[in-house]
Amino acid sequence: MSALHERKRIEIPHSPLLSECPIYVRGFIPLLCMSELQQINAYTYYTKEIEMDKQIVYERTDAAYGQIFLNRPEKRNAISVRMIEELSHCLAAAKDDHIKFLLIRTTGGRIFSAGGDLNDFHGNLSEKEAFTLLTKMKNILFDIATFPVPTICLLNGDALGGGCELATACDFRIAKDTAKFGFIQTNLKIIPAWGGGALLYKKVHPTFAYQWIIEGNIFDAPTLKANGWLHNVIASSDWEDEEVLLGNYLNKTEMQCKLLKEQYIKSIQPKDLMEKMTEEVVNCAQLWNTKEHQEIVDQFFARKKGHQYT
């Protein structure tokens, strides 16, 4: 069972520090007292429900692999500035862990990610502001692409726009058979914003990458497996079966995974990749505050009157 659903109880020694803490979770954990509890070597009542307040969650499993969860299902896992910051912290934590491979997945829902949250990535940014903001997520994607162990994206549902860019940054993509995917940025009068287009050219045939981006099509899972973007398509009935999803990876050692990933990183020429991703962000920033893009964004907000996603 995933640690996200486990609850572990350990006795908390009595301490006057506990009575001084104003914030509790279900009457057990004083959130503002963690450092004091550690100082007195006190054990705490611990539950992953606390981490579920985060938009990004990281854990290391008993099977020695790491998992980063997108945890904003009520907003279709649209990537916010806060999520970018939490992704950065989680990637750093995962990098320091002893893991065979790293999964990028969601905590649930029917959408993997609908892209960037337009409340942060709105159309009124200047070219310079857009470049600065887009660069933050580009750096996250580059860190995933060059992560020291294999990265696997588990696509439980649809991914659009930036959601596809995030998935493309991973080494392998495994999708539920009902999911659909689209590099739809050109329909919004921009281009891939986080360097995901440059990554796509590395992952599939350049002609298919070019066509997918310029046409802005949405494809089903079997089509994308046939074109090499997806590595495996799993029936919905088998989606919760870890052996079906990850069997070919679970029986590898950490050293094997690290050595193979090191070889792969050399093959994708990371310095050249970073230059191409940065160039794409520069080009996208030039389109960001154009009249055409702003009109598309305004239309989204006018229709939904709330959170919108690219």
Side-chain angles (χ1 to χ4, degrees):
M1 179 183 291
S2 168
L4 285 169
H5 302 104
E6 292 175 354
R7 303 182 72 184
K8 301 177 182 178
R9 180 164 186 149
I10 307 173
E11 293 300 321
I12 303 176
H14 174 73
S15 167
L17 289 171
L18 299 182
S19 62
E20 298 173 4
C21 298
I23 297 180
Y24 292 81
V25 174
R26 298 194 175 183
F28 291 108
I29 293 224
L31 291 181
L32 300 185
C33 290
M34 291 305 296
S35 60
E36 289 90 341
L37 286 172
Q38 291 165 354
Q39 288 171 11
I40 64 174
N41 296 317
Y43 292 102
T44 64
Y45 177 93
Y46 176 76
T47 172
K48 278 286 184 178
E49 291 172 14
I50 291 177
E51 291 196 8
M52 294 299 284
D53 290 335
K54 298 179 180 179
Q55 293 182 359
I56 303 292
V57 180
Y58 170 70
E59 69 169 9
R60 183 186 185 277
T61 70
D62 292 338
Y65 63 85
Q67 304 189 94
I68 289 179
F69 293 84
L70 308 185
N71 184 40
R72 205 183 178 210
E74 74 283 0
K75 300 300 181 186
R76 302 196 299 171
N77 290 317
I79 304 298
S80 64
V81 169
R82 175 183 166 186
M83 290 178 79
I84 294 174
E85 294 171 353
E86 292 185 7
L87 266 170
S88 179
H89 292 314
C90 286
L91 284 168
K95 194 173 292 186
D96 288 338
D97 244 343
H98 287 286
I99 55 177
K100 298 179 183 181
F101 53 87
L102 177 66
L103 302 184
I104 307 290
R105 64 191 312 179
T106 75
T107 54
R110 292 163 40 180
I111 301 292
F112 173 74
S113 176
D117 186 339
L118 287 189
N119 287 277
D120 292 329
F121 294 92
H122 53 77
N124 294 323
L125 298 173
S126 68
E127 180 178 334
K128 182 178 179 180
E129 290 170 335
F131 175 78
T132 299
L133 184 56
L134 301 178
T135 295
K136 293 180 180 180
M137 192 61 188
K138 178 211 70 178
N139 290 339
I140 294 291
L141 265 58
F142 183 79
D143 285 347
I144 293 172
T146 58
F147 198 77
V149 296
T151 52
I152 305 168
C153 190
L154 295 186
L155 294 152
N156 62 298
D158 300 354
L160 300 173
C164 278
E165 295 192 58
L166 176 58
T168 303
C170 296
D171 302 332
F172 306 105
R173 284 158 295 285
I174 301 172
K176 189 180 287 189
D177 57 358
T178 56
K180 295 183 179 181
F181 310 97
F183 270 83
I184 61 170
Q185 293 90 331
T186 53
N187 298 334
L188 307 179
K189 309 305 180 185
I190 55 173
I191 62 175
W194 301 332
L199 285 164
L200 186 62
Y201 280 100
K202 294 278 189 180
K203 303 301 177 78
V204 299
H205 193 284
T207 300
F208 176 69
Y210 184 26
Q211 180 184 13
W212 194 7
I213 292 171
I214 200 167
E215 292 183 357
N217 289 325
I218 296 175
F219 293 114
D220 61 20
T223 298
L224 289 173
K225 187 175 188 298
N227 281 279
W229 189 70
L230 290 176
H231 297 83
N232 205 357
V233 176
I234 305 296
S236 299
S237 58
D238 293 328
W239 189 253
E240 302 301 327
D241 189 327
E242 184 183 68
E243 187 64 31
V244 172
L245 286 174
L246 305 172
N248 290 332
Y249 303 93
L250 290 170
N251 60 7
K252 306 302 186 294
T253 68
E254 181 181 345
M255 183 60 72
Q256 280 180 296
C257 291
K258 285 186 174 181
L259 289 173
L260 289 169
K261 183 57 183 283
E262 181 180 334
Q263 184 181 45
Y264 175 70
I265 290 174
K266 291 177 182 177
S267 76
I268 62 173
Q269 301 176 311
K271 182 178 179 180
D272 177 68
L273 176 61
M274 173 57 91
E275 290 176 356
K276 286 181 168 59
M277 292 175 70
T278 300
E279 181 181 21
E280 185 171 66
V281 172
V282 169
N283 292 338
C284 185
Q286 293 176 7
L287 296 169
W288 204 264
N289 66 349
T290 60
K291 177 183 176 181
E292 292 81 2
H293 178 55
Q294 289 180 357
E295 287 178 349
I296 292 290
V297 173
D298 290 343
Q299 289 170 16
F300 272 122
F301 278 115
R303 284 200 302 268
K304 301 296 185 179
K305 300 183 184 300
H307 286 280
Q308 295 300 322
Y309 317 102
T310 59

